[in-house]
Amino acid sequence: MGLKKMSAMIYIITSILTSCSSENSKIIKIPMLVYKQNDSVKKEAILGSWDINQSKINLDKSMYTFTSGLGEPLIWYEKTLFLQKNVSILNKFDVNYKLEFGDIISTGTKQSYFFNDFTCLGEISDEKFEYILNFNNKEYKVDLKNNDNFKNKSVFLANGETLKNGKIIRLVFSAFYQDKQESEIILLDYVLNKDEFKVKSFSIDKLPSGDNTISPSDSILDENKLYIYKNKKIGFIDLEKEEFIELSKISEDIHSFMTAKFKNPHVERKVVPVGKIEDTLIFIDTTLYIDDKTSGMLVYAYSQEDPIGKILIEGQTIHLFDKNNIEVSSSKFPYIPINGRSFSFPNS
C-alpha cells in the first residue's frame, strides 16, 4: 500500500473512532421543574435536570414560589417559561431563564390558551364562534361562526404553533359530530400578512373523547405531526397524510414495562406526550396506582423511538431506569405533584 493510501486509511479510521467516541460521550440532560411544599400555603418550583447518561436527577436552583395549584408553567419553550400571574419571583433569581406572565381565562364561553409564540382566546356561544390570536403584540380575529367545517360539531382546540418564521399561525382542533359517532381533525392555517386563513378537515377513527379529549396539555404539535395517546397507542396524527401513525416501538416498550412492573393496574392508563427537546420525546402516565394506598407516576423518554430512560415515582420514592429498563437507583423523593404531575418539561 502506498504512503498516500495508508495516510488516507489512517485518517478514515481515526475519523470513525473519533465520531464513535464523541457519540458515546454525548450527555443528554433534560431540563425539568419539580415542586416542594415550603409551608402550609407556599409552594416552590425548583429547576433541575434529568441526566440520562448518569441516570440521576440533579436539582439546581429555586425558580419561583406560588400559592395555588396552578404554579406549573403554562408553556415552557427554549429558555422562556410562561407563568400565571399568581407566582412570586424569589429574591435570588440568577438562572438563565426568562419568565413571562399571563392570565388564565376560563368561563362558560371563554377559554384562554398559551403556545410557544402566541396566546389565543376562544369564545364560543350562541352568538359567537371566534378566536383572538395575540402575536407580537398584535391581535388577529378568526371568525368561524359561518365556516362549514365547524358546524354541527363539538369542537376542542387541541394545539397550536407558528410556522414559516412566524408568517403562519396554525391551530389544530379535534371535533365530534353531535348526531353520529364520528370524529375529525380540523386544521386551520392563518396567514398573518394576508389576514386570511385556510381550513381543512378529515375524519380520523376513534379520537379520544370526553375527559380524554385532545388538549394542549396532553399533546405535542410539531409542524405536521400531532403527537397523542390514541386508543392505548402512542403515535401522531400526520396532518398532511391525514392519518394516525403509531410509533409501535414506543407503544410496545411502554406496554412491556407496565406489564413487567404492574400486572394489575387499578385504572385504565393514559400515557400523554408532555415535552419535546430536539429529537427526544417525553411522556407521562399519572394514572398509576401501586396499591390501594400508594399512587405513582411514570415518565418515559425516547430518542426517535428508542428508549433512553424512565422515572417511576412510587409514593415518596423515586426509581430511575436506564435505556434497557434496568433500575439504576432509588431514593426518597419528598416533592409534591402539581395538578397530578411531579415534573414539568419544556416543549421546544
Side-chain angles (χ1 to χ4, degrees):
M1 181 182 294
L3 183 59
K4 288 185 177 179
K5 288 186 178 180
M6 184 177 291
S7 298
M9 185 64 70
I10 292 173
Y11 173 78
I12 292 171
I13 293 173
T14 302
S15 298
I16 292 173
L17 291 175
T18 302
S19 174
C20 292
S21 174
S22 175
E23 182 64 27
N24 290 336
S25 64
K26 181 181 179 182
I27 297 175
I28 302 174
K29 290 186 178 180
I30 299 173
M32 58 166 55
L33 286 179
V34 299
Y35 309 96
K36 73 174 183 179
Q37 189 84 41
N38 279 351
D39 51 40
S40 60
V41 176
K42 188 178 292 184
K43 304 175 180 70
E44 187 174 345
I46 302 170
L47 180 66
S49 64
W50 179 9
D51 189 326
I52 294 293
N53 278 15
Q54 300 296 322
S55 293
K56 66 179 182 179
I57 303 295
N58 299 312
L59 297 181
D60 188 11
K61 297 180 182 295
S62 297
M63 293 282 280
Y64 53 85
T65 56
F66 56 100
T67 55
S68 81
L70 298 176
E72 80 277 24
L74 301 171
I75 187 71
W76 178 0
Y77 62 99
E78 296 177 349
K79 292 289 186 178
T80 300
L81 283 78
F82 213 104
L83 306 170
Q84 193 182 9
K85 286 184 176 178
N86 68 325
V87 307
S88 301
I89 303 300
L90 294 178
N91 292 330
K92 294 181 179 180
F93 179 75
D94 56 0
V95 290
N96 187 26
Y97 280 86
K98 179 183 178 183
L99 302 186
E100 295 185 359
F101 301 89
D103 280 324
I104 292 179
I105 299 173
S106 183
T107 67
T109 59
K110 292 184 179 181
Q111 183 72 45
S112 58
Y113 303 89
F114 299 84
F115 301 107
N116 283 9
D117 297 68
F118 67 98
T119 60
C120 175
L121 178 63
E123 183 172 358
I124 301 176
S125 65
D126 292 338
E127 294 77 30
K128 285 186 177 183
F129 194 143
E130 67 181 30
Y131 290 84
I132 304 298
L133 310 175
N134 191 311
F135 177 70
N136 283 344
N137 296 317
K138 186 176 180 181
E139 290 189 348
Y140 303 86
K141 184 170 80 169
V142 183
D143 189 347
L144 303 173
K145 180 71 174 177
N146 298 312
N147 191 286
D148 290 338
N149 291 275
F150 293 85
K151 289 182 177 179
N152 302 317
K153 301 172 187 175
S154 298
V155 179
F156 305 90
L157 182 56
N159 220 309
E161 67 173 344
T162 56
L163 302 173
K164 296 185 177 180
N165 295 321
K167 295 179 180 179
I168 294 174
I169 289 181
R170 168 167 286 181
L171 299 179
V172 182
F173 302 85
S174 58
F176 304 88
Y177 281 95
Q178 297 171 353
D179 57 349
K180 50 186 175 180
Q181 297 296 316
E182 291 185 20
S183 51
E184 284 187 342
I185 287 292
I186 304 175
L187 179 64
L188 185 151
D189 284 347
Y190 190 96
V191 184
L192 295 173
N193 60 359
K194 294 184 179 179
D195 197 22
E196 63 183 27
F197 59 88
K198 299 180 294 183
V199 180
K200 76 168 184 176
S201 60
F202 57 91
S203 297
I204 200 84
D205 182 50
K206 294 182 181 177
L207 280 178
S209 60
D211 291 338
N212 293 335
T213 299
I214 304 172
S215 70
S217 65
D218 56 20
S219 66
I220 298 293
L221 181 58
D222 185 10
E223 294 189 352
N224 285 306
K225 295 179 180 180
L226 180 67
Y227 292 91
I228 63 169
Y229 181 67
K230 173 183 174 292
N231 197 25
K232 300 182 181 179
K233 296 177 180 178
I234 290 290
F236 61 89
I237 297 174
D238 190 312
L239 302 176
E240 277 191 327
K241 295 181 179 179
E242 302 182 359
E243 62 179 333
F244 177 78
I245 297 176
E246 183 185 3
L247 297 172
S248 56
K249 286 179 63 178
I250 294 180
S251 293
E252 290 167 6
D253 180 70
I254 287 175
H255 177 75
S256 173
F257 187 81
M258 281 294 298
T259 302
K261 295 293 176 186
F262 311 101
K263 292 181 170 36
N264 297 303
H266 289 209
V267 295
E268 182 177 339
R269 62 180 172 270
K270 181 183 179 185
V271 183
V272 297
V274 295
K276 185 176 185 296
I277 306 158
E278 296 180 353
D279 69 343
T280 299
L281 283 168
I282 302 164
F283 301 87
I284 283 185
D285 179 358
T286 61
T287 62
L288 185 63
Y289 283 83
I290 311 301
D291 53 42
D292 291 336
K293 298 180 180 179
T294 310
S295 62
M297 189 187 79
L298 273 165
V299 183
Y300 305 85
Y302 296 88
S303 178
Q304 305 293 343
E305 286 194 64
D306 296 323
I308 57 176
K310 294 178 177 66
I311 299 173
L312 166 64
I313 300 291
E314 183 180 5
Q316 289 291 298
T317 303
I318 184 170
H319 306 268
L320 296 176
F321 298 80
D322 64 14
K323 64 181 180 180
N324 299 311
N325 291 340
I326 297 173
E327 184 172 346
V328 177
S329 65
S330 66
S331 58
K332 290 297 180 182
F333 190 72
Y335 297 94
I336 59 172
I338 299 297
N339 292 341
R341 298 179 180 181
S342 300
F343 307 102
S344 292
F345 296 97
N347 175 18
S348 299

